[in-house]
Amino acid sequence: MEALKVWSLTASPLRQLLRLSSSSTSICGRRSYHSSLMLRCASAASSSSNAATAETPKPSGRNRRAASSSNSTSDREAIRSIRLKKVEELRGQGVEPYAYKWDKSHSANQLQEIYKHLANGEESSNESDRVSIAGRVVARRAFGKLAFLTLRDDSGTIQLYCEKERLSDEQFEQLKAFIDIGDILGASGSMKRTEKGELSICVSSFSILTKSLLPLPDKYHGLTDIDKRYRQRYVDMIANPEVADVFRKRAKIVSEIRKTVESSGYLEVETPVLQGAAGGAEARPFVTYHNSLGRDLYLRIATELHLKRMLVGGFEKVYEIGRIFRNEGLSTRHNPEFTTIEMYEAFSDYQSMMDMAELIVTGCAMAVNGKLTIDYQGTEICLERPWRRETMHNLVKEATGIDFNELGEDLGNAKDTVLVALRDVLEPKDKSGIGACSSLGHLLNEVFEVVVEPKLVQPTFVLDYPIEISPLAKPHRGNAGLTERFELFICGREMANAFSELTDPVDQRRRLEEQVRQHNAKRSAAASETPEQNAKKDDDDDDSYEVTLDEDFLTALEYGMPPASGMGLGIDRLVMLLTNSASIRDVIAFPVLKVQQ
């Protein structure tokens, strides 16, 4: 848009204040002329060629410097004071600057499409072509006998074309004196394409719908402070329209996921966010206290156990898209609250969930990008099916040369073999992690996470995880010590996790009790450590929280759950992938942040 090429404040705060004082003096005697909410323009007249020629002036260097400093504290407060004065003056005229409603006939994008046939300099004069629009002023220019405003709504931008010849002198001065960048306006008029080729609304009436008190970031510097962009996402979306596009795509992805799973016969259900026991995953929960019940409750760390209860109750295909809460660290991949889809299908195994994962991801890619080859942070990712499927054992052997099937049962010897084989690639923290492994299964998983996981750039299903780290998965039919479990990795990140679900209640109890025992051992060890040792730990290594058995879930299993498969897929990470977003904070509208100092 031509008007977007120019972005500056209306004037310096001092000049604004002088103009306001001047305009308020002349307006006081005209209070009776403006009792309605609408500021109306005079009859239309032809545009002047001089004004059209001056449509796209460039701001001077001085104006650019003034704009770039407009968000300093002193200028910000000065501008706010000026705009508050304008609010008082408008109300003094009987004009309420915070309206109740506005009747729109079109969006900006609709107007751009409907009137794309207008030639340069052509105006549509039919009565049926009168339009009404509303949006935020994101650019403003007033000089001589012509004023241009650029209005942005949810769909795009459109220019407002205001000529002095179409307005009385008093009305034109009101336009210049009271309208600022950031204000939300409603405007009506006819359509015209300027001599410069800019589609515009020739304004015949307008109304201030919301008077903005704070200045927007200027065009030349924008809102560049990353932390501030996340804290004030509303300003981020105004200053950087592409940010809002990410959240539109996120909505489309969630919609596509629902369409995909429901077309396969799944029923959406809702399960509790507040739970008596935090189960379904190994993670530190958020704890709250219920006053009436006199007990602690936990924000859910997974939806799994309640969805399985639905299978016990007779449902065969269920899913839930919901928020999960884990009291853990912050990073570009982790937020304490995040969104997943978990789904469970009776009478199926984990092979069917691989097919469903491919359907969901490829369907979302086509819905958002229209293709299955995408770019993520400079790396080309091919989502064409089928995706690679390989066991964890084989991937570790391929990357390191270590065959865990030949290491035997001696954990100490296995650790020594791994440390020697990987001595050139392991960091000190990796060696510490290997030393802390309590079983061969944990050791295999540790090597996989350190060496293999970062290399899984193209879509890969990693199959058959050790039983020690998969307490809810069914034992593998052909390999003792393993489970029928897979994780999907893309760009070195886990995207989905799925099992052939464990349905044996006795085996399930034994595994969960062992998980609790191991956690309590870590908890006891952590309690005996010195404050200095605890200070060196990452937030994710804190084992001081309590883990309890979900006895009701175990009771449900004893009534009988049918053979089933289940999968959890991280929606935030999927959105990151499909929108080329580097951080999870870029795809969550209001992410959790550290307290601002």
Side-chain angles (χ1 to χ4, degrees), residues 508-580:
Q508 182 67 89
R509 176 177 289 277
R510 184 177 64 251
R511 290 203 220 171
L512 291 179
E513 286 176 345
E514 175 62 18
Q515 187 182 39
V516 172
R517 187 196 66 76
Q518 290 182 10
H519 176 81
N520 287 338
K522 291 181 183 178
R523 190 181 181 195
S524 298
S528 63
E529 291 178 345
T530 64
E532 291 77 15
Q533 289 174 315
N534 283 322
K536 294 178 181 179
K537 286 187 172 183
D538 294 333
D539 291 338
D540 293 345
D541 294 331
D542 184 1
D543 297 307
S544 62
Y545 61 94
E546 183 180 6
V547 173
T548 59
L549 287 180
D550 188 337
E551 288 288 352
D552 182 71
F553 169 65
L554 293 171
T555 298
L557 284 188
E558 294 196 356
Y559 280 95
M561 188 178 98
S565 62
M567 178 173 66
L569 186 146
I571 291 177
D572 304 291
R573 289 187 180 180
L574 179 59
V575 176
M576 288 172 63
L577 175 69
L578 298 182
T579 61
N580 196 19

Side-chain angles (χ1 to χ4, degrees), residues 310-349:
M310 300 294 287
L311 297 188
V312 173
F315 289 91
E316 295 188 0
K317 291 184 177 183
V318 294
Y319 79 96
E320 180 172 10
I321 295 176
R323 284 296 180 99
I324 304 300
F325 307 87
R326 296 182 182 176
N327 196 354
E328 298 173 342
L330 302 171
S331 75
T332 56
R333 301 187 187 187
H334 299 91
N335 193 64
E337 56 175 321
F338 56 96
T339 306
T340 68
I341 175 174
E342 284 204 45
M343 53 196 305
Y344 293 85
E345 179 180 352
F347 313 114
S348 68
D349 64 12

Side-chain angles (χ1 to χ4, degrees), residues 391-465:
T391 67
M392 179 181 282
H393 274 84
N394 287 344
L395 287 169
V396 168
K397 182 179 179 180
E398 179 183 293
T400 67
I402 301 172
D403 188 346
F404 269 76
N405 290 320
E406 299 178 354
L407 289 182
E409 299 298 323
D410 190 314
L411 179 59
N413 287 340
K415 289 181 179 179
D416 291 340
T417 300
V418 167
L419 290 172
V420 170
L422 303 180
R423 59 183 177 274
D424 295 332
V425 298
L426 293 178
E427 300 288 338
K429 64 177 182 178
D430 301 327
K431 295 178 181 178
S432 176
I434 287 172
C437 289
S438 58
S439 70
L440 287 170
H442 284 96
L443 180 61
L444 172 63
N445 185 65
E446 185 73 18
V447 173
F448 169 80
E449 289 184 350
V450 171
V451 180
V452 181
E453 188 175 311
K455 300 177 181 178
L456 300 178
V457 176
Q458 299 302 322
T460 304
F461 290 111
V462 180
L463 313 180
D464 305 343
Y465 278 58

Side-chain angles (χ1 to χ4, degrees), residues 362 365-375 383:
T362 55
M366 290 301 297
V368 171
N369 297 313
K371 57 184 179 179
L372 294 178
T373 299
I374 62 174
D375 175 82
L383 300 176

